[in-house]
Amino acid sequence: MLRTLIALALIAATGTAARAETLNSFRRAHGLPALHHSGPLQAMAQRHARSMAARHSMDHADFFTARGRAGARAENVAAGCASESCVMALWAESSGHRENMLLPDIHSYGLASAAGGGTHYWCLVLGR
């Protein structure tokens, strides 16, 4: 799984995959309104990105029991990208992640990354 995501990240970085510079530019390009940055969702995303980096593991651990219960509606995670534009392009090429980024009934987000073991881990938390 991690190798697949890293391969997709390399494709995205070369420009052959659809580019999505930021979450809000991606949403606007698909006719959806921009999301507002949320401090609480940002804190959730940062905690999970740091947790994945510390464990060297990309996962959705505790999403439904912690972040979901605290108001998050969806979560995207990734590993291997060094920039926001890279991770957005990676998620744009994955049907489930893309679907999360294009949810029409969300209004806010938090996005964070953390490095561990030479790898960047990303977490996007989306909510109402």
Side-chain angles (χ1 to χ4, degrees):
M1 175 87 153
L2 180 57
R3 288 181 186 174
T4 301
L5 288 175
I6 291 171
L8 287 172
L10 292 173
I11 291 168
T14 64
T16 58
R19 297 296 293 188
E21 293 300 320
T22 68
L23 176 61
N24 281 330
S25 65
F26 181 74
R27 286 178 60 84
R28 282 191 294 270
H30 289 87
L32 292 169
L35 301 177
H36 302 284
H37 183 262
S38 163
L41 294 181
Q42 177 67 33
M44 286 183 214
Q46 190 65 63
R47 279 191 301 274
H48 191 56
R50 286 181 182 151
S51 173
M52 290 188 297
R55 294 179 289 113
H56 307 278
S57 175
M58 184 183 66
D59 56 43
H60 293 284
D62 299 326
F63 176 73
F64 291 105
T65 59
R67 293 177 296 286
R69 216 177 35 218
R73 170 112 192 295
E75 176 183 72
N76 286 358
V77 296
C81 282
S83 69
E84 181 178 346
S85 62
C86 172
V87 79
M88 288 298 153
L90 178 74
W91 287 329
E93 294 296 316
S94 165
S95 62
H97 296 103
R98 178 186 186 88
E99 184 178 314
N100 285 346
M101 294 190 318
L102 296 175
L103 286 168
D105 62 341
I106 57 172
H107 304 289
S108 56
Y109 77 98
L111 174 66
S113 71
T119 301
H120 280 86
Y121 293 85
W122 292 83
C123 181
L124 170 65
V125 180
L126 301 157
R128 292 190 173 139

Short mmCIF file of all heavy atoms in Angstrom, two decimals, residues 49-78:
data_model
loop_
_atom_site.label_atom_id
_atom_site.label_comp_id
_atom_site.label_asym_id
_atom_site.label_seq_id
_atom_site.Cartn_x
_atom_site.Cartn_y
_atom_site.Cartn_z
N ALA A 49 -1.20 13.05 12.16
CA ALA A 49 0.02 13.05 11.32
C ALA A 49 1.25 12.76 12.18
O ALA A 49 2.10 11.95 11.79
CB ALA A 49 0.16 14.40 10.60
N ARG A 50 1.33 13.39 13.34
CA ARG A 50 2.47 13.12 14.25
C ARG A 50 2.47 11.68 14.74
O ARG A 50 3.52 11.05 14.85
CB ARG A 50 2.43 14.09 15.43
CG ARG A 50 2.84 15.48 15.07
CD ARG A 50 2.82 16.39 16.28
NE ARG A 50 3.16 17.75 15.91
CZ ARG A 50 2.71 18.81 16.54
NH1 ARG A 50 1.92 18.69 17.59
NH2 ARG A 50 3.07 20.03 16.13
N SER A 51 1.29 11.15 15.01
CA SER A 51 1.18 9.77 15.47
C SER A 51 1.65 8.80 14.39
O SER A 51 2.42 7.86 14.66
CB SER A 51 -0.27 9.46 15.86
OG SER A 51 -0.43 8.09 16.15
N MET A 52 1.22 9.02 13.16
CA MET A 52 1.66 8.15 12.06
C MET A 52 3.17 8.24 11.87
O MET A 52 3.84 7.22 11.70
CB MET A 52 0.94 8.50 10.76
CG MET A 52 -0.53 8.15 10.75
SD MET A 52 -1.33 8.36 9.13
CE MET A 52 -1.16 10.14 8.85
N ALA A 53 3.71 9.46 11.93
CA ALA A 53 5.15 9.65 11.75
C ALA A 53 5.93 8.96 12.86
O ALA A 53 6.97 8.33 12.61
CB ALA A 53 5.49 11.14 11.70
N ALA A 54 5.45 9.05 14.09
CA ALA A 54 6.14 8.43 15.22
C ALA A 54 6.11 6.90 15.13
O ALA A 54 7.06 6.23 15.52
CB ALA A 54 5.50 8.87 16.54
N ARG A 55 5.02 6.37 14.56
CA ARG A 55 4.87 4.92 14.45
C ARG A 55 5.35 4.38 13.10
O ARG A 55 5.36 3.19 12.88
CB ARG A 55 3.40 4.53 14.65
CG ARG A 55 2.88 4.80 16.03
CD ARG A 55 1.40 4.44 16.21
NE ARG A 55 0.52 5.37 15.49
CZ ARG A 55 -0.22 5.06 14.43
NH1 ARG A 55 -0.23 3.84 13.94
NH2 ARG A 55 -0.98 5.98 13.84
N HIS A 56 5.69 5.30 12.18
CA HIS A 56 6.08 4.91 10.81
C HIS A 56 5.00 4.03 10.19
O HIS A 56 5.27 3.01 9.58
CB HIS A 56 7.43 4.19 10.78
CG HIS A 56 8.53 4.94 11.46
ND1 HIS A 56 9.22 5.95 10.84
CD2 HIS A 56 9.03 4.86 12.71
CE1 HIS A 56 10.10 6.46 11.68
NE2 HIS A 56 10.01 5.80 12.82
N SER A 57 3.76 4.49 10.34
CA SER A 57 2.62 3.71 9.86
C SER A 57 1.54 4.65 9.35
O SER A 57 1.11 5.56 10.06
CB SER A 57 2.06 2.87 11.01
OG SER A 57 0.88 2.19 10.61
N MET A 58 1.09 4.41 8.12
CA MET A 58 0.01 5.21 7.56
C MET A 58 -1.30 4.45 7.81
O MET A 58 -1.44 3.30 7.39
CB MET A 58 0.23 5.41 6.07
CG MET A 58 -0.81 6.31 5.44
SD MET A 58 -0.58 6.45 3.67
CE MET A 58 -0.93 4.79 3.15
N ASP A 59 -2.24 5.08 8.52
CA ASP A 59 -3.48 4.41 8.86
C ASP A 59 -4.55 5.40 9.27
O ASP A 59 -4.32 6.60 9.31
CB ASP A 59 -3.24 3.41 10.00
CG ASP A 59 -2.62 4.07 11.23
OD1 ASP A 59 -3.05 5.19 11.61
OD2 ASP A 59 -1.72 3.47 11.83
N HIS A 60 -5.72 4.87 9.55
CA HIS A 60 -6.85 5.67 10.05
C HIS A 60 -7.13 5.31 11.51
O HIS A 60 -8.27 5.38 11.95
CB HIS A 60 -8.10 5.41 9.20
CG HIS A 60 -7.98 5.90 7.80
ND1 HIS A 60 -8.09 7.23 7.47
CD2 HIS A 60 -7.75 5.23 6.64
CE1 HIS A 60 -7.94 7.35 6.16
NE2 HIS A 60 -7.73 6.17 5.64
N ALA A 61 -6.11 4.94 12.24
CA ALA A 61 -6.27 4.51 13.63
C ALA A 61 -7.08 5.54 14.43
O ALA A 61 -6.80 6.73 14.37
CB ALA A 61 -4.91 4.30 14.29
N ASP A 62 -8.08 5.05 15.11
CA ASP A 62 -8.92 5.87 15.99
C ASP A 62 -9.77 6.91 15.30
O ASP A 62 -10.32 7.79 15.95
CB ASP A 62 -8.09 6.54 17.09
CG ASP A 62 -7.39 5.54 17.98
OD1 ASP A 62 -7.95 4.45 18.20
OD2 ASP A 62 -6.27 5.83 18.43
N PHE A 63 -9.92 6.85 13.97
CA PHE A 63 -10.74 7.87 13.32
C PHE A 63 -12.17 7.85 13.84
O PHE A 63 -12.71 8.88 14.25
CB PHE A 63 -10.74 7.74 11.79
CG PHE A 63 -11.66 8.75 11.15
CD1 PHE A 63 -11.30 10.08 11.11
CD2 PHE A 63 -12.90 8.39 10.65
CE1 PHE A 63 -12.14 11.04 10.57
CE2 PHE A 63 -13.75 9.33 10.10
CZ PHE A 63 -13.37 10.66 10.06
N PHE A 64 -12.80 6.70 13.83
CA PHE A 64 -14.21 6.64 14.24
C PHE A 64 -14.39 6.80 15.74
O PHE A 64 -15.38 7.33 16.20
CB PHE A 64 -14.86 5.35 13.74
CG PHE A 64 -15.02 5.34 12.25
CD1 PHE A 64 -14.19 4.58 11.46
CD2 PHE A 64 -15.97 6.14 11.64
CE1 PHE A 64 -14.32 4.59 10.08
CE2 PHE A 64 -16.11 6.17 10.26
CZ PHE A 64 -15.28 5.39 9.49
N THR A 65 -13.40 6.38 16.52
CA THR A 65 -13.55 6.49 17.97
C THR A 65 -13.10 7.84 18.52
O THR A 65 -13.55 8.23 19.59
CB THR A 65 -12.76 5.37 18.68
OG1 THR A 65 -11.39 5.47 18.33
CG2 THR A 65 -13.30 4.01 18.32
N ALA A 66 -12.24 8.54 17.84
CA ALA A 66 -11.73 9.82 18.36
C ALA A 66 -12.13 10.99 17.46
O ALA A 66 -12.95 11.81 17.83
CB ALA A 66 -10.21 9.75 18.51
N ARG A 67 -11.55 11.05 16.28
CA ARG A 67 -11.79 12.20 15.41
C ARG A 67 -13.23 12.23 14.91
O ARG A 67 -13.86 13.29 14.87
CB ARG A 67 -10.78 12.21 14.26
CG ARG A 67 -9.37 12.47 14.78
CD ARG A 67 -8.31 12.41 13.69
NE ARG A 67 -8.15 11.11 13.05
CZ ARG A 67 -7.55 10.05 13.59
NH1 ARG A 67 -7.07 10.11 14.82
NH2 ARG A 67 -7.42 8.92 12.91
N GLY A 68 -13.77 11.09 14.51
CA GLY A 68 -15.14 11.04 14.02
C GLY A 68 -16.14 11.47 15.08
O GLY A 68 -17.07 12.22 14.81
N ARG A 69 -15.93 11.02 16.28
CA ARG A 69 -16.82 11.38 17.39
C ARG A 69 -16.71 12.87 17.73
O ARG A 69 -17.65 13.47 18.24
CB ARG A 69 -16.49 10.53 18.61
CG ARG A 69 -17.69 10.15 19.40
CD ARG A 69 -17.40 9.25 20.56
NE ARG A 69 -16.13 9.51 21.21
CZ ARG A 69 -15.33 8.56 21.68
NH1 ARG A 69 -15.66 7.31 21.56
NH2 ARG A 69 -14.21 8.87 22.27
N ALA A 70 -15.57 13.47 17.42
CA ALA A 70 -15.34 14.88 17.75
C ALA A 70 -15.79 15.83 16.64
O ALA A 70 -15.51 17.02 16.70
CB ALA A 70 -13.86 15.10 18.05
N GLY A 71 -16.46 15.32 15.62
CA GLY A 71 -17.00 16.19 14.58
C GLY A 71 -16.42 16.03 13.20
O GLY A 71 -16.86 16.69 12.26
N ALA A 72 -15.43 15.18 13.03
CA ALA A 72 -14.87 14.95 11.71
C ALA A 72 -15.81 14.06 10.92
O ALA A 72 -16.39 13.12 11.45
CB ALA A 72 -13.50 14.30 11.82
N ARG A 73 -15.97 14.34 9.66
CA ARG A 73 -16.85 13.54 8.78
C ARG A 73 -16.05 12.58 7.93
O ARG A 73 -16.51 11.49 7.62
CB ARG A 73 -17.65 14.49 7.90
CG ARG A 73 -18.42 13.83 6.81
CD ARG A 73 -19.91 13.92 7.02
NE ARG A 73 -20.64 13.05 6.12
CZ ARG A 73 -20.69 13.16 4.82
NH1 ARG A 73 -20.04 14.11 4.20
NH2 ARG A 73 -21.40 12.32 4.10
N ALA A 74 -14.85 12.98 7.51
CA ALA A 74 -14.03 12.14 6.65
C ALA A 74 -12.56 12.46 6.90
O ALA A 74 -12.23 13.53 7.41
CB ALA A 74 -14.37 12.38 5.19
N GLU A 75 -11.71 11.52 6.49
CA GLU A 75 -10.27 11.68 6.70
C GLU A 75 -9.52 11.07 5.53
O GLU A 75 -9.85 9.98 5.08
CB GLU A 75 -9.87 10.98 7.99
CG GLU A 75 -8.38 10.99 8.27
CD GLU A 75 -8.04 10.22 9.52
OE1 GLU A 75 -8.11 8.98 9.51
OE2 GLU A 75 -7.70 10.88 10.51
N ASN A 76 -8.54 11.80 5.03
CA ASN A 76 -7.60 11.28 4.03
C ASN A 76 -6.23 11.22 4.69
O ASN A 76 -5.84 12.17 5.39
CB ASN A 76 -7.50 12.20 2.82
CG ASN A 76 -8.71 12.13 1.91
OD1 ASN A 76 -9.64 11.37 2.15
ND2 ASN A 76 -8.70 12.94 0.86
N VAL A 77 -5.50 10.14 4.46
CA VAL A 77 -4.11 10.06 4.92
C VAL A 77 -3.24 9.65 3.74
O VAL A 77 -3.71 9.05 2.78
CB VAL A 77 -3.94 9.06 6.10
CG1 VAL A 77 -4.71 9.54 7.33
CG2 VAL A 77 -4.36 7.66 5.72
N ALA A 78 -1.97 10.01 3.83
CA ALA A 78 -1.02 9.66 2.78
C ALA A 78 0.38 9.67 3.37
O ALA A 78 0.61 10.22 4.45
CB ALA A 78 -1.09 10.65 1.62
#
